[in-house]
Amino acid sequence: MKTEHVMIALSIALAFATLPSITQASSSNPALAGLNTAEAPRVNQAVDNRVVSSLSNTHLAFLSHATAAGNVDDAMPMNHMQLILRRSDQRASAAESLIAQQHDPSSAKFHQWLSPEEVGSTFGVHDADIAAVKSWLTSQGFTVNGVYPNKMQIDFSGTAGQVRQAFHTQESRFVVNHVTHVANAGDISVPTALREVIVGVAGLNDFHPQPLNKTPQVTQFDRSKGKFMLKQTTATTPGHPAAVNFVGGARGLVPYDMQTIYNTSSLYASGLTGAGINIAVVEDQDMDVSDWPNFVAQFGLGGYGGTFTQFQPQLTPSTGNCTDPGGNDPFSESIETVLDSEYSTAMAPGANIWVATCSDSNSTNFFGGVFAAADNLINNTNAAGRPNIISASYGYGEGFTDAASKTAIDLMWAQADLEGISVFISSGDSGSNPSYNGSIINGVGVDANSFATSSNDTAVGGTDTADVLDGTTSKYFSSTLNSVYGSALSYVPELTWNQSCGNTLAATKLVHTTALQFCKNALIYDPYGYYVTSESGSGGPSSVDAKPSWQRIVHGAAKDQSRDLPDVSLFAGSYGGYSWVILCTGYYPCAPNFTTPTVLEGGTSLSSPMMAGIQALIDQGLASDGLSANQGNAAPTFYELARNEYGGATGNPPGSLAACNSNNGPTGNSKCVFRNITEGGNSTQCIQIAAFSQVTPDCYFYGTIQNFEQFYGPTLVGLTATSTTKYNSTTAAYAAQAGWSFANGLGSVNAGNLLTAWKKFVNAP
C-alpha cells in the first residue's frame, strides 16, 4: 500500500482518536468505587510511515556476541506475535495503588477483585488508540487476530518481510551455544505518532526458557535396602568420592514425606484438602493423562476427591494462538508437566488440577506456549475459566529477555493479581543465574528469572534436607516405609539446595574446610572439571523491576532498589543427588511396591507446584470462614507474617528470629510460620573458557583447568561472588543468613501455622 493511501486509511482512526475523552464503562464492583481513570487518546496526529522512532532495548543485546548465520527468508511466517501496548503513567499508577489496597485488610477494597474486562476498561489503553494501532498493523499487511480483554496487547501474524518493512528490523539467524535461533538483529522502529502507546513486539525471537527441573533418573527399588538403585552411573561428589554413599542407593521421597515435612497433613485432618480450588499448571507440552490417576492411586490420595483436566486454554473469541502441543502418550510427554501436576496434588490432594498447555511451535513469543497458556487463562472472560492459582516452572534470566517480552510478562502477572489469582514461579536451578538450568554459568554474571521478578508473583527457591550431611537421618526418617511408601517422621532441618562444591555445609561436614578450599581440592580429584556444576536453587536481584514496598519490611532484606528473588523455598533436591521425589510417568508407571523401574526427579520445578498446593489449602481454609477463595499474590502477606517472626528491616530482631531457625528442628520451631534457613547458600561454580573469548563477571576464580572436559582447553574455574578479588561469606553470591536471603528468601513454611497466621492477618472470624 502506498504511503498516501496509508495516511488516508488511518485518518479515520485519527478522527476517532481526537474525539472527547470517554469515561470507562460503569461497574458496580466496589474495587472501582471512586476510581476514575478516564483519559483522552494519546494518538493525536496522523500516522506517517515515513516518520518513525526507534524503541530502545527491543532486541537482545547479547546477540552482538553471537555468531551470525544469515537473514531469514522474507516469506518465513511470524505467527501470533504480541504487540504490547503502553498504558499511560496515570493508569499504571492507579493499578498499582489498587493492588496495594486489595491486599490491605484495613481497606474497603480488600479482596475486591476485578474481571479481565474491568482491568481493560479501567487500566488498559484507550479504545481509540487501540483502533489506531490495529489500523496501522492492517495497513502493513498483518493479520490482527484479536485484542486481549486487558486492552494491553494485540495478537497479530505476518511474515518476516512484513516485520522488516513495518518495524525496520531484520529477522536473522544466530548460533548460541551450538543452537541456531531466530531473532531481530536490531531495535524496532514504529511510526512516531504511535510511539506513546507501543512498548514493542513480543515474539520477534525464539529463545524459549527451559523447564526448571533436574535430569530425571530411572531407578530400580531394592526392597532389601529400602533404596532406589540408579540405572545410570551417577557422579560422586567432587573432591571427595566417598562423601555420599551412592553404592547404597538413592532416597525416593513421596507425597507423605512432603506432607509431613511441611505440615499439610494436619490440615487434611480438619477437612482442608484444597477442595473447590483450581490450580493451573501452565506448560508447553502435554503429559500422558494416565499418569495422574496412577500417582493418586499409588500414594493413597484417591480418597480426597481431587480432579485432573488437561486442555488448551483459548480466548473468546479465539485468536488461535493456543494449539495442542502433543505429548499425551508415554513416549513424548513432558516430565516437567508430570512433575507439576503430580506434586501440586501431593500437597493439595482435593484440589482441581488444570494442566493448561499451548504449543511453542504456534508462536515465536519468548515464553512461547507457557506464556500463551497463562495469558489466556488470566484473560478468560468467563470467571469459571479462571483458576485460583497458577504455577509456572519455567525461566530464563532477564539478560536473555527483550524489553517487550519482559513488559508482557509483568503486565500479565499484575493482571492476575488484580483478578485475585495467586501466581507461583520457580526461581531457577543454577544459583545466581537461572539461565543455565543446572549447567555451568559462563560468560554472564548475576541475574534473576525474568518470569518471576514481577512484584505480582511469588518466587519459590529450593532447599535440601540437612539430615544426610548432618548424619541425623535416623532421627528424621524411619528405616521402613509405611503403607504409602513414606518414611519422614517430622519436619527435617533444611539448607540451601546446592550441588556444587560451593555448598558450605558439605565442605564443613565432609572435609572440615571452607567451600573455597573444598573447590580447590576438587581440582586434584577432578582435573578435567567433569563435576563442575552450577546446579542450585536460584536467587538474585532484578535489573529491571523495582523493589516492592512489602519486600523492604523484614529483617535481612537486601538494601537495594531491586525486586529480589526468591520469596520462599521448599525442597528441590539434595547435595550429591541422594534425595529425590518419585514420579509416576507413562513410560515408567508406578507399580505396587515399586517392582518396576521408577523415575526420580527434583529441581525448583518441584518447589513451585508444591507451594501452589499449600496455597490451595490456605484458600480453602479462608473460604470456609466466608472469605474470598482468591488471595491474589501471596508474597505481600508472606512478608507481613515474616516481619512478625523475624522482625523489621531495622532495629534489633525479636527472639523469634532465632527460635524459627530451621536448625532447631521440629520441636524447636513448631510454632513458627516460616523456617529460617541459615545453612549453606547458592554460590556455585562458574567458568571462563579461554577459547570462547568471553569474560564471566561476578565470579571469583580460584584455579585453572588445563583442558576443560578434555575438549575446551584452558578454563578458569571459580565461585559466583559479588567480588572478583576475594571470596568469603559476605561476597559469596549468595550465602544463607538470618532473616530473608537471596539463597532461600524467607525460608520454608509450616502450612498449618501459615493458615492460622493468615487468618489472623485478614481478620477471619
Side-chain angles (χ1 to χ4, degrees):
M1 183 180 290
K2 294 182 179 179
T3 301
E4 59 267 25
H5 292 162
V6 173
M7 296 286 289
I8 293 171
L10 295 183
S11 64
I12 299 173
L14 179 59
F16 180 32
T18 55
L19 291 173
S21 170
I22 300 174
T23 305
Q24 71 231 35
S26 60
S27 173
S28 60
N29 191 330
L32 301 179
L35 182 62
N36 183 2
T37 60
E39 60 185 16
R42 286 174 289 148
V43 178
N44 51 27
Q45 57 182 296
V47 178
D48 187 342
N49 288 326
R50 298 167 299 181
V51 182
V52 299
S53 296
S54 177
L55 301 181
S56 61
N57 302 316
T58 49
H59 83 293
L60 294 167
F62 77 88
L63 290 178
S64 61
H65 303 294
T67 302
N71 298 333
V72 305
D73 190 274
D74 273 356
M76 186 187 79
M78 301 283 289
N79 294 322
H80 296 291
M81 295 173 283
Q82 301 288 311
L83 192 142
I84 308 305
L85 298 169
R86 187 189 307 279
R87 56 187 176 172
S88 66
D89 291 342
Q90 173 203 359
R91 290 192 167 188
S93 178
E96 186 175 342
S97 176
L98 176 57
I99 289 172
Q101 294 174 73
Q102 288 174 318
H103 287 281
D104 181 0
S106 66
S107 170
K109 299 184 179 184
F110 180 62
H111 285 180
Q112 299 297 324
W113 309 115
L114 304 186
S115 68
E117 301 96 321
E118 289 171 331
V119 171
S121 62
T122 310
F123 304 117
V125 171
H126 198 290
D127 287 340
D129 293 335
I130 293 174
V133 174
K134 284 178 60 181
S135 182
W136 175 71
L137 287 171
T138 301
S139 76
Q140 300 305 295
F142 293 112
T143 299
V144 174
N145 303 310
V147 177
Y148 270 64
N150 60 25
K151 296 185 179 181
M152 288 180 275
Q153 62 192 104
I154 300 173
D155 186 299
F156 71 106
S157 299
T159 66
Q162 290 168 337
V163 167
R164 177 176 52 79
Q165 182 70 29
F167 294 104
H168 307 278
T169 190
Q170 177 64 55
E171 290 293 314
S172 302
R173 301 188 190 280
F174 298 89
V175 179
V176 179
N177 294 328
H178 308 291
V179 177
T180 300
H181 291 272
V182 172
N184 53 311
D187 285 343
I188 71 171
S189 294
V190 298
T192 300
L194 300 176
R195 179 178 183 176
E196 289 302 309
V197 296
I198 295 178
V199 174
V201 178
L204 297 182
N205 67 73
D206 66 353
F207 285 85
H208 295 308
Q210 299 298 310
L212 299 173
N213 62 311
K214 291 168 58 63
T215 302
Q217 298 290 320
V218 178
T219 64
Q220 180 64 62
F221 186 62
D222 186 326
R223 191 165 185 80
S224 65
K225 296 180 178 179
K227 298 289 178 64
F228 289 85
M229 311 306 293
L230 303 183
K231 289 285 189 180
Q232 299 173 339
T233 302
T234 302
T236 55
T237 306
H240 199 284
V244 178
N245 185 12
F246 289 102
V247 176
R251 177 168 63 188
L253 301 176
V254 300
Y256 176 91
D257 299 315
M258 297 295 102
Q259 295 162 2
T260 301
I261 291 171
Y262 297 117
N263 192 29
T264 60
S265 53
S266 66
L267 297 178
Y268 308 154
S270 61
L272 300 179
T273 64
I277 305 300
N278 302 319
I279 303 173
V281 294
V282 289
E283 316 287 349
D284 59 7
Q285 191 173 349
D286 291 346
M287 60 181 279
D288 186 333
V289 294
S290 68
D291 298 348
W292 189 85
N294 176 215
F295 180 85
V296 166
Q298 177 78 354
F299 298 115
L301 305 176
Y304 293 106
T307 67
F308 170 93
T309 306
Q310 182 167 265
F311 65 103
Q312 286 69 56
Q314 307 291 345
L315 286 184
T316 303
S318 176
T319 62
N321 67 359
C322 182
T323 58
D324 191 344
N328 184 5
D329 62 80
F331 304 100
S332 58
E333 69 176 352
S334 166
I335 291 296
E336 176 61 63
T337 307
V338 178
L339 179 64
D340 293 347
S341 66
E342 292 184 351
Y343 275 85
S344 51
T345 293
M347 308 311 283
N352 304 314
I353 306 302
W354 296 1
V355 177
T357 66
C358 296
S359 173
D360 283 336
S361 62
N362 197 42
S363 165
T364 51
N365 289 335
F366 179 74
F367 275 90
V370 175
F371 176 88
D375 207 20
N376 288 358
L377 285 170
I378 292 166
N379 281 279
N380 193 318
T381 54
N382 179 358
R386 298 194 296 273
N388 305 95
I389 300 165
I390 290 175
S391 176
S393 297
Y394 294 75
Y396 231 26
E398 291 178 337
F400 290 80
T401 311
D402 62 275
S405 294
K406 177 56 178 162
T407 300
I409 293 163
D410 288 356
L411 286 173
M412 178 172 65
W413 297 147
Q415 181 181 348
D417 204 0
L418 283 164
E419 295 174 8
I421 300 171
S422 302
V423 177
F424 297 92
I425 312 288
S426 303
S427 67
D429 288 5
S430 47
S432 59
N433 192 304
S435 299
Y436 288 81
N437 195 34
S439 61
I440 310 164
I441 296 172
N442 176 38
V444 297
V446 166
D447 204 351
N449 184 359
S450 61
F451 216 29
T453 48
S454 161
S455 60
N456 302 107
D457 67 76
T458 302
V460 188
T463 72
D464 181 4
T465 59
D467 63 293
V468 178
L469 292 173
D470 282 342
T472 57
T473 298
S474 62
K475 180 178 179 180
Y476 297 108
F477 290 90
S478 171
S479 59
T480 58
L481 303 180
N482 62 21
S483 61
V484 290
Y485 311 104
S487 59
L489 300 173
S490 67
Y491 173 69
V492 186
E494 295 168 276
L495 72 153
T496 310
W497 170 49
N498 186 340
Q499 298 199 191
S500 79
C501 59
N503 187 318
T504 55
L505 186 63
T508 300
K509 294 291 186 178
L510 300 176
V511 291
H512 311 292
T513 187
T514 64
L516 179 58
Q517 189 59 49
F518 191 26
C519 290
K520 289 180 177 179
N521 292 348
L523 290 176
I524 300 172
Y525 297 96
D526 181 27
Y528 296 113
Y530 283 115
Y531 306 128
V532 171
T533 180
S534 298
E535 193 161 29
S536 171
S538 291
S542 171
S543 59
V544 178
D545 292 315
K547 186 186 291 295
S549 59
W550 43 260
Q551 199 171 37
R552 300 179 183 275
I553 65 176
V554 68
H555 181 82
K559 300 184 185 304
D560 59 19
Q561 302 304 312
S562 302
R563 168 69 167 115
D564 297 320
L565 305 185
D567 296 307
V568 291
S569 296
L570 297 179
F571 177 78
S574 71
Y575 180 77
Y578 180 74
S579 299
W580 311 66
V581 295
I582 297 175
L583 291 190
C584 300
T585 71
Y587 197 80
Y588 296 107
C590 294
N593 298 314
F594 304 110
T595 54
T596 59
T598 304
V599 171
L600 301 183
E601 184 57 292
T604 55
S605 279
L606 166 66
S607 311
S608 179
M610 287 204 301
M611 194 64 235
I614 291 174
Q615 186 65 43
L617 305 179
I618 303 300
D619 290 357
Q620 185 193 359
L622 294 171
S624 67
D625 284 338
L627 300 175
S628 174
N630 280 19
Q631 295 297 303
N633 185 20
T637 301
F638 284 167
Y639 282 84
E640 287 288 353
L641 301 182
R643 177 164 58 172
N644 292 334
E645 288 188 353
Y646 297 170
T650 60
N652 295 324
S656 52
L657 174 63
C660 292
N661 192 314
S662 170
N663 294 340
N664 294 337
T667 56
N669 55 36
S670 61
K671 297 181 180 180
C672 299
V673 173
F674 298 97
R675 274 78 172 249
N676 190 195
I677 297 166
T678 59
E679 291 283 5
N682 63 5
S683 176
T684 61
Q685 289 168 289
C686 40
I687 61 173
Q688 182 171 296
I689 302 175
F692 287 0
S693 301
Q694 292 179 323
V695 175
T696 300
D698 303 321
C699 186
Y700 173 82
F701 294 108
Y702 58 79
T704 300
I705 298 171
Q706 294 307 316
N707 189 10
F708 183 57
E709 295 185 354
Q710 298 189 63
F711 180 80
Y712 294 100
T715 299
L716 291 175
V717 61
L719 286 166
T720 55
T722 56
S723 170
T724 58
T725 59
K726 62 181 178 179
Y727 186 86
N728 53 39
S729 60
T730 59
T731 63
Y734 294 93
Q737 63 177 24
W740 183 91
S741 74
F742 283 113
N744 289 108
L746 300 171
S748 65
V749 302
N750 178 317
N753 292 346
L754 176 60
L755 176 59
T756 300
W758 201 303
K759 285 186 174 183
K760 182 178 180 181
F761 174 71
V762 300
N763 302 313

